[in-house]
Amino acid sequence: MSDKDAQNDLVVEVMKLLQNFHPGGDSGPIEDRGGWEKRVQSHAPQDRELLQELTRFADLWRYFQEKKEKLGPEILAALNDLPTLAVPKRIERLREINQNLMERIPDAGQGLEFRN
C-alpha cells in the first residue's frame, strides 16, 4: 500500500470517528431534554441512576447560577470527594447534595422546573 493510500484510509477513518460528535452521533450534542433522557435510559441501571442524579445536580446548579447564588463550601467539599467514591456511594452523596440544595429553594415544590 502506498503512502497516499494509507493517508486516504486514515482520513476516512478520522472522518468516521468525527461523525460520532455531530448531531445525532453517539457523542454528539443533544438538542432537547428528551434526547438526553433517552440516552440516560440506554445505560446499565447503576450508571443510569448516577446519570439521573448528576442531571438533577446540573439543573439545581444552573438554577443557583441564574439566581446569582453560590452553592456554598459544604456542597463544594462534598462534590470534591465524589471522584474517590465507588459508584453506589457517589449516587448516595449526590442525593444528599441535591436534597440539601432543594431545601434552599423556597418554592421548589410549586413548579415543574425540578421535577423528574
Side-chain angles (χ1 to χ4, degrees), residues 83-96:
T84 64
L85 301 174
V87 172
K89 290 291 186 186
R90 283 184 198 180
I91 295 167
E92 183 180 322
R93 175 74 54 89
L94 279 165
R95 281 193 181 126
E96 292 168 3

Side-chain angles (χ1 to χ4, degrees), residues 10-96:
L10 182 60
V11 167
V12 168
E13 287 301 312
V14 169
M15 294 304 290
K16 285 180 187 176
L17 288 172
L18 289 176
Q19 289 299 316
N20 288 327
F21 297 98
H22 289 270
D26 290 343
S27 300
I30 299 171
E31 298 297 325
D32 61 26
R33 186 63 174 243
W36 171 250
E37 290 173 4
K38 184 178 176 183
R39 189 173 290 180
V40 167
Q41 292 303 317
S42 71
H43 286 78
Q46 191 173 33
D47 293 339
R48 182 178 331 137
E49 202 172 348
L50 178 60
L51 287 169
Q52 288 169 333
E53 291 304 324
L54 286 165
T55 301
R56 287 183 188 105
F57 173 74
D59 290 340
L60 288 163
W61 188 9
R62 184 173 36 253
Y63 172 84
F64 280 92
Q65 285 179 321
E66 289 171 0
K67 300 294 182 185
K68 306 273 191 265
E69 293 182 34
K70 296 186 184 233
L71 294 178
E74 67 284 347
I75 299 295
L76 295 177
L79 287 170
N80 191 47
D81 295 338
L82 278 181
T84 64
L85 301 174
V87 172
K89 290 291 186 186
R90 283 184 198 180
I91 295 167
E92 183 180 322
R93 175 74 54 89
L94 279 165
R95 281 193 181 126
E96 292 168 3

